[in-house]
Amino acid sequence: MTALATATLPSKDLLSLEELSTEHIHLIFDVARQLKAGRDAYTNLLAGKRLAMIFEKDSLRTRFTFDIGMTDMGGTAVFLDHRDARIGSRESVKDVARNLERWVDVIVARTYKQKALEELAANCAIPVINGLSDDSHPCQALTDYFTLTEKFGDLAGKKLCYVGDGNNTCHSLMIAGAKLGVHVSVCTPEGYEPSAQVLEDARRFAAASGGSVVVTSDPAVALADADAVYTDVWASMGQEDEIEERAGIFHDYQVDEEMMELAAPDAYFLHCLPAHRGAEVSAAVMDGPASIVYDNAENRLHVQKAILVLLLGAWS
Ligand code: CP
Ligand code: NVA
């Protein structure tokens, strides 16, 4: 249970995890657990509420789960596909924000620049949720740790090892893990480490929670005793030109059965998806007994429903 007096989040928006306290993360988990257990009891929670989704990049999970989440709770969602035109290219980000707030109650945006999210949020009175940016993927990391709490209970003292590119997903896993008292180890090839600022922030949060954050290029060090092993694509959306070059550089960082052997026995395997079997993960691991990737994909729905009801003040 949460120690918070009110069922709200600290800011009108959810743009990054730095702004959430450990108690807020637990609040999201508590609400997600209840929504998951009792879907039929919450079909009117967001009756009449409208969500706008504006995405500069492709999506399967984020788009479907936010849309279905709104529908499950009596609301509606409208999707605007900006794949070929960045938000702000036809009219200013400010005007997009000022129009949308007249029609809808909440926005989920998937952008290249984190700054575009911040500008959107600064120019409207309604909540803006980060549905992934180049810098971070907060809804994903919250879901990842929610899924792990379903497996382990309290995560304080557990170890999560992220192998691969020090990207948006990695950043959010570092921040959320550090706030939850998790020992997060990140294993990347040299030159592909997570941002120094994120590492500094994560270490500060870990110092307060009893967790830790380590970055190394040595899989044996990173994976030792890991309770969960995580990977993501080697080239993120927007880095398509680097796919071939990165395939060579990341070659030794594929999560395969041999790598899983370096982790704790019975360690779980997670991936935010989409996955590339034979690249960042072997088919044997992706489809093997350790993999909880589809449990995790399902949980995007429940965790994001919790974020929606908390930001919209619909939970008491
Ligand atoms: N993991 C994730 O965010 O998936 P999508 O890119 O399909 O939304
Ligand atoms: N790092 C990946 C995550 C996709 C959900 C990307 O940004 O493409």
Side-chain angles (χ1 to χ4, degrees), residues 58-63 110 131-132 137 140 237 272-274 300:
D58 286 344
S59 173
L60 176 73
R61 281 148 291 275
T62 308
R63 178 179 175 174
R110 170 166 284 198
L132 177 143
H137 199 0
Q140 181 67 54
M237 290 181 279
C272 58
L273 306 180
R300 291 292 299 278

Coordinates of all heavy atoms in Angstrom, one line a residue, residues 58-63 110 131-132 137 140 237 272-274 300, ligand 1:
D58 N 6.4 5.0 -35.2 CA 5.6 3.8 -35.2 C 5.2 3.3 -33.8 O 6.0 3.6 -32.8 CB 6.3 2.6 -35.9 CG 6.3 2.8 -37.4 OD1 5.6 3.6 -37.9 OD2 7.1 2.1 -38.0
S59 N 4.2 2.6 -33.6 CA 3.8 2.0 -32.3 C 2.8 0.9 -32.5 O 1.9 1.0 -33.4 CB 3.2 3.0 -31.4 OG 2.8 2.4 -30.2
L60 N 2.9 -0.2 -31.8 CA 1.9 -1.2 -31.7 C 1.3 -1.2 -30.3 O 0.2 -0.8 -30.0 CB 2.4 -2.6 -32.0 CG 1.4 -3.8 -31.8 CD1 0.4 -3.8 -32.9 CD2 2.2 -5.1 -31.7
R61 N 2.2 -1.5 -29.3 CA 1.8 -1.6 -27.9 C 1.3 -0.3 -27.3 O 0.2 -0.3 -26.7 CB 3.0 -2.1 -27.0 CG 3.2 -3.6 -27.1 CD 4.6 -4.0 -27.0 NE 5.4 -3.5 -28.1 CZ 5.5 -4.2 -29.3 NH1 5.0 -5.4 -29.4 NH2 6.1 -3.7 -30.3
T62 N 2.0 0.8 -27.4 CA 1.6 2.0 -26.8 C 0.3 2.5 -27.3 O -0.6 2.9 -26.6 CB 2.7 3.1 -26.9 OG1 4.0 2.5 -26.5 CG2 2.4 4.3 -26.1
R63 N 0.2 2.5 -28.6 CA -1.1 3.0 -29.3 C -2.3 2.1 -28.9 O -3.3 2.6 -28.4 CB -0.9 2.9 -30.8 CG -2.1 3.4 -31.5 CD -1.9 3.4 -33.0 NE -3.2 3.7 -33.6 CZ -3.3 3.9 -34.9 NH1 -2.3 3.8 -35.7 NH2 -4.5 4.2 -35.4
R110 N 4.2 10.7 -28.7 CA 5.5 9.9 -29.0 C 6.3 10.8 -29.9 O 5.9 11.1 -31.0 CB 5.2 8.6 -29.6 CG 6.4 7.9 -30.1 CD 6.1 6.4 -30.4 NE 6.1 5.6 -29.2 CZ 6.2 4.3 -29.1 NH1 6.4 3.6 -30.2 NH2 6.1 3.7 -28.0
G131 N 4.8 9.1 -24.4 CA 4.6 7.7 -24.9 C 5.9 7.2 -25.6 O 5.8 6.3 -26.4
L132 N 7.0 7.8 -25.2 CA 8.4 7.5 -25.7 C 8.9 8.7 -26.4 O 8.2 9.3 -27.2 CB 8.4 6.3 -26.7 CG 9.8 5.9 -27.3 CD1 9.9 4.4 -27.4 CD2 10.0 6.6 -28.7
H137 N 11.4 6.5 -21.8 CA 10.2 5.7 -22.1 C 9.6 5.3 -20.7 O 9.6 4.2 -20.3 CB 10.6 4.4 -22.9 CG 9.4 3.8 -23.6 ND1 8.1 4.3 -23.6 CD2 9.4 2.7 -24.4 CE1 7.4 3.5 -24.3 NE2 8.1 2.5 -24.8
Q140 N 6.9 2.5 -20.2 CA 7.5 1.2 -20.4 C 8.2 0.7 -19.1 O 8.0 -0.4 -18.6 CB 8.5 1.2 -21.5 CG 9.2 -0.1 -21.8 CD 8.2 -1.1 -22.4 OE1 7.6 -0.9 -23.3 NE2 8.1 -2.3 -21.7
M237 N 14.2 3.8 -33.1 CA 13.5 4.5 -34.1 C 14.2 5.9 -34.3 O 14.5 6.6 -33.3 CB 12.1 4.7 -33.8 CG 11.3 3.4 -33.9 SD 9.5 3.5 -33.5 CE 9.6 3.5 -31.7
C272 N 11.2 -4.8 -24.2 CA 10.1 -3.9 -24.3 C 9.3 -4.2 -25.6 O 8.1 -3.9 -25.6 CB 10.5 -2.4 -24.3 SG 11.7 -2.0 -25.6
L273 N 9.9 -4.8 -26.6 CA 9.3 -5.1 -27.9 C 9.1 -3.8 -28.7 O 8.8 -2.8 -28.1 CB 8.0 -5.9 -27.7 CG 8.1 -7.2 -26.9 CD1 6.7 -7.9 -26.8 CD2 9.2 -8.2 -27.4
P274 N 9.3 -3.8 -30.0 CA 9.5 -5.0 -30.8 C 10.9 -5.6 -30.7 O 11.8 -4.9 -30.5 CB 9.3 -4.5 -32.3 CG 9.6 -3.0 -32.2 CD 9.3 -2.6 -30.8
R300 N 1.3 -3.3 -20.0 CA 1.2 -1.9 -20.5 C -0.2 -1.4 -20.3 O -0.4 -0.2 -19.9 CB 1.7 -1.8 -21.9 CG 3.1 -2.1 -22.3 CD 4.1 -1.1 -21.7 NE 3.8 0.2 -22.2 CZ 4.3 0.7 -23.4 NH1 5.0 -0.1 -24.2 NH2 4.0 1.9 -23.8
Ligands
CP1 N1 7.3 -1.2 -26.2 C1 6.7 -0.2 -26.9 O1 6.6 0.9 -26.6 O2 6.1 -0.7 -28.1 P1 5.5 0.1 -29.3 O3 6.7 0.8 -29.9 O4 4.9 -0.9 -30.2 O5 4.5 1.1 -28.7

